[in-house]
């Protein structure tokens, strides 16, 4: 069997030592995931919020530590962000929205908010070079962009000068503004 088709995966054993297991294509059996029962991620998230609204879903940075975020808080934050996107950026179902930010809680809030509007999230790494950003804007036909850092606005402006995009609105994700007042966050 070609080596590219075999994965040697470390696995923790009960005695604290690492053991190894191999996964081969011939013995791989996919298991239906919970998400396959829902038409999209919004329905799946709503079901989860309904079943366990007060259970911790995520942790976000707060000061020098971590603070829990419940499923209900995440849903509420995403609804607020979706209202802002829909009202201020005039997004419609099927629109593509570029999301450029680092790994943080707000990323998953904005991803769900975009999905709630029926729009398509086009994630781009926060450190992506201008060429990659321009390609994403053009190929996905993005009509809006959400960015987290002033440097991203500069790179976006340089990309706009090259043309070939359909972006009509840009939102700046201010990490110190009022998306989730109790925990800090971002806003349009």
């Amino acid at each position: 069997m070609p080596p590219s088709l075999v994965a040697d995966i470390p696995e923790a054993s009960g005695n604290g030592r690492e053991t190894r297991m191999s996964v081969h294509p011939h013995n791989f059996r996919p298991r239906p995931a919970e998400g396959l029962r829902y038409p999209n991620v919004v329905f799946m998230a709503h079901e989860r919020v309904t079943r366990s609204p007060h259970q911790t879903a995520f942790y976000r940075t707060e000061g020098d530590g971590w603070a829990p975020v419940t499923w209900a808080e995440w849903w509420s934050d995403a609804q607020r962000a979706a209202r802002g996107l829909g009202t201020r950026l005039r997004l419609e179902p099927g629109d593509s929205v570029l999301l450029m930010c680092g790994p943080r809680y707000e990323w998953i809030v904005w991803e769900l908010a975009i999905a709630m509007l029926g729009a398509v999230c086009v994630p781009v790494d926060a450190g992506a070079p201008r060429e990659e950003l321009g390609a994403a804007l053009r190929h996905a036909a993005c009509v809006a962009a959400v960015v987290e850092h002033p440097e991203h606005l500069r790179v976006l402006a340089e990309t706009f000068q090259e043309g070939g995009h359909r972006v009509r609105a840009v939102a700046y994700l201010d990490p110190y503004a009022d998306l989730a007042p109790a925990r800090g966050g971002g806003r349009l």
Side-chain angles (χ1 to χ4, degrees), residues 110-136:
W110 289 97
E111 283 229 67
L112 182 59
I114 290 166
M116 285 175 161
L117 294 171
V120 178
C121 183
V122 179
V124 174
D125 184 83
R130 191 174 73 222
E131 297 77 25
E132 185 178 323
L133 180 59

Side-chain angles (χ1 to χ4, degrees), residues 10 18 26 30 39 42 44 46 48 67 71 84 97 104 110 113 116-117 120 124 126 138 160 178 181 186:
E18 185 180 280
H26 68 275
V42 177
M44 185 175 65
H46 185 265
R48 182 65 168 163
W71 290 106
V97 181
R104 52 188 291 168
W110 289 97
M116 285 175 161
L117 294 171
V120 178
V124 174
R138 287 187 299 278
F160 288 165
D178 187 34

Side-chain angles (χ1 to χ4, degrees), residues 60 101-109 148 173-176 185-186:
R60 63 176 290 146
C101 79
R104 52 188 291 168
Y105 168 71
E106 287 77 16
W107 179 285
I108 56 177
V109 168
E148 102 175 289
L173 175 60
D174 180 355
Y176 305 105

Side-chain angles (χ1 to χ4, degrees), residues 15-70:
N15 61 11
R17 286 186 244 148
E18 185 180 280
T19 61
R20 311 237 9 122
M21 65 177 213
S22 292
V23 177
H24 300 275
H26 68 275
N27 68 6
F28 174 73
R29 301 287 184 265
R31 295 181 202 121
E34 176 183 350
L36 298 178
R37 296 190 304 248
Y38 302 97
N40 62 44
V41 70
V42 177
F43 282 88
M44 185 175 65
H46 185 265
E47 174 65 23
R48 182 65 168 163
V49 169
T50 302
R51 280 188 304 176
S52 49
H54 304 294
Q55 182 179 10
T56 298
F58 307 101
Y59 286 88
R60 63 176 290 146
T61 56
E62 186 174 284
D64 291 335
W66 294 92
V69 178
T70 66

Side-chain angles (χ1 to χ4, degrees), residues 83-92 95 97 110 143-146 168-171 188:
R83 279 193 296 276
L85 286 170
T87 303
R88 295 185 181 150
L89 300 187
R90 301 180 324 273
L91 292 179
E92 299 177 7
D95 284 346
V97 181
W110 289 97
V143 299
V146 177
R168 64 175 185 249
V170 176
L188 289 173

